[in-house]
Amino acid sequence: MRLSAGAWKVKPFSRKRPVQRRRQAARRSQDRQRVSATSQQELQTFSVDYPAAMRQAQAATLAALGDGHKLIEVEFPTSSLQGVSGDAEGANEMTYSMGFLRQFCRSFQQNAAATRIFFPDKKEMEVARTGKGIEEEGGAVFDVTKFQLDYLTTPSGFLDIGIDYGKTDITTRTRETDELYIIAYPHFNVNEIIAVDELYQRVAKAADSPIVVFNGELDRIRSGYYPPFVYPKLGKLAKSFIPHFQSAYYIHNFKGSRGGVLFRAYPDPWQVLSRRGDSLTLVHTQDTMPILKDVALNIL
């Protein structure tokens, strides 16, 4: 997009800016005091590699389940622990998520027969079962398993434009013996997370069966990435469904000159860490999930 010459004109500084700077300075001072108090506790530290991250994610999820949470989020970048969504090609990111999901599910191996794993669609479930198309990544990852493998949607040309033609009633895809539902990366198509909501409202809620969403990119819905006037169902979910999720394990990286990471491992508070080179410094903690924009502009 070309900009007019007028767009490059420098606007005079607002008189409010010094006030805003003082407020930000005061807030950072308060953050340092809060961090100093929090650091006296033993917070879980940001993992430097994926094996450690997976162990943290497993322990955090089990702790959240043990405390009775029924809607649980696990979210982290799959191409690099310092990366962001989109750093790798979409199909590769799903392949990486599938491999990490297999590791994550080892925590539920003893109850595998009562654990149903929903993949985004039937095709992705078959990829997980047979390994077809991901031979270079190590082949099938769920080829021999007692877990109940299932899917949320059926691929079709209509699905690409948001229409789930030939939609299957989600209640027919469950069994009375199901005790836990794990949802694998339901973010490629909006109908996937809508199906997760239907699963909760129509089956899991009444059965008191927890749902764990694994790399569902729920931040897209939280942030309004999908305009509600175009995606009215997602607009409703942003208010009625997504806020009920407990983030058991969460990593969101911020790039740029003031880079850092928003990190949470249940039951610890949320941590904001500033990144300078290869080192991370804790600069802020809070009990509730902060707004990503606020972290980028006012905390880091």
Side-chain angles (χ1 to χ4, degrees):
M1 179 179 71
R2 295 183 181 271
L3 297 176
S4 64
W8 295 100
K9 292 181 179 179
V10 178
K11 297 181 179 180
F13 286 104
S14 168
R15 293 183 181 179
K16 294 182 179 179
R17 289 195 174 186
V19 177
Q20 291 173 347
R21 291 195 190 100
R22 286 195 292 271
R23 288 175 178 172
Q24 290 178 356
R27 178 171 181 172
R28 291 192 177 102
S29 176
Q30 293 173 355
D31 288 344
R32 285 193 292 270
Q33 295 174 9
R34 188 181 299 112
V35 166
S36 178
T38 305
S39 61
Q40 297 177 9
Q41 309 172 10
E42 290 189 5
L43 294 178
Q44 299 179 67
T45 58
F46 184 82
S47 297
V48 297
D49 55 41
Y50 277 113
M54 285 299 93
R55 289 192 293 271
Q56 276 189 329
Q58 290 170 324
T61 302
L62 289 174
L65 288 170
D67 284 344
H69 293 289
K70 301 303 180 184
L71 291 172
I72 296 173
E73 173 188 26
V74 174
E75 184 72 37
F76 61 92
T78 57
S79 59
S80 165
L81 286 176
Q82 291 74 43
V84 297
S85 177
D87 278 354
E89 195 274 329
N92 289 338
E93 287 191 342
M94 287 194 289
T95 298
Y96 302 152
S97 277
M98 187 183 297
F100 290 129
L101 177 66
R102 189 67 181 91
Q103 298 175 42
F104 175 78
C105 286
R106 290 171 183 166
S107 291
F108 310 101
Q109 190 68 48
Q110 292 183 342
N111 202 35
T115 300
R116 187 169 299 275
I117 303 174
F118 279 99
F119 288 91
D121 55 44
K122 189 175 182 179
K123 182 178 180 181
E124 191 68 13
M125 183 192 71
E126 291 303 321
V127 171
R129 192 191 302 274
T130 66
K132 184 178 181 181
I134 60 170
E135 288 82 0
E136 67 279 5
E137 301 294 340
V141 291
F142 284 92
D143 51 346
V144 179
T145 181
K146 292 183 180 179
F147 288 105
Q148 308 303 304
L149 304 188
D150 222 306
Y151 57 91
L152 297 170
T153 62
T154 303
S156 71
F158 292 98
L159 199 59
D160 295 336
I161 58 174
I163 301 174
D164 194 358
Y165 183 76
K167 177 181 176 181
T168 302
D169 187 343
I170 195 68
T171 62
T172 67
R173 311 216 60 81
T174 63
R175 301 291 182 271
E176 291 184 359
T177 54
D178 294 342
E179 298 179 4
L180 172 67
Y181 299 107
I182 298 178
I183 316 297
Y185 41 96
H187 60 76
F188 185 74
N189 187 282
V190 297
N191 288 293
E192 294 163 6
I193 195 64
I194 291 174
V196 177
D197 175 60
E198 292 180 356
L199 172 66
Y200 175 69
Q201 301 295 346
R202 301 179 61 185
V203 179
K205 188 175 182 179
D208 204 33
S209 299
I211 292 178
V212 178
V213 171
F214 188 89
N215 279 346
E217 295 190 17
L218 301 184
D219 283 334
R220 288 188 180 185
I221 303 176
R222 293 188 182 105
S223 65
Y225 175 85
Y226 299 102
F229 61 89
V230 179
Y231 301 95
K233 288 185 178 180
L234 290 185
K236 292 180 181 179
L237 296 191
K239 299 177 180 180
S240 64
F241 183 50
I242 303 302
H244 296 291
F245 273 87
Q246 178 67 239
S247 298
Y249 193 73
Y250 181 97
I251 296 174
H252 182 98
N253 288 294
F254 298 84
K255 295 187 176 182
S257 59
R258 294 169 60 182
V261 57
L262 175 61
F263 170 66
R264 204 272 173 112
Y266 185 92
D268 286 0
W270 291 83
Q271 305 178 43
V272 178
L273 303 109
S274 174
R275 178 178 284 116
R276 297 294 181 267
D278 294 330
S279 64
L280 289 171
T281 302
L282 179 65
V283 297
H284 176 83
T285 64
Q286 65 181 67
D287 293 331
T288 58
M289 182 181 188
I291 298 173
L292 296 180
K293 185 177 180 180
D294 191 40
V295 174
L297 297 180
N298 300 320
I299 300 178
L300 285 174

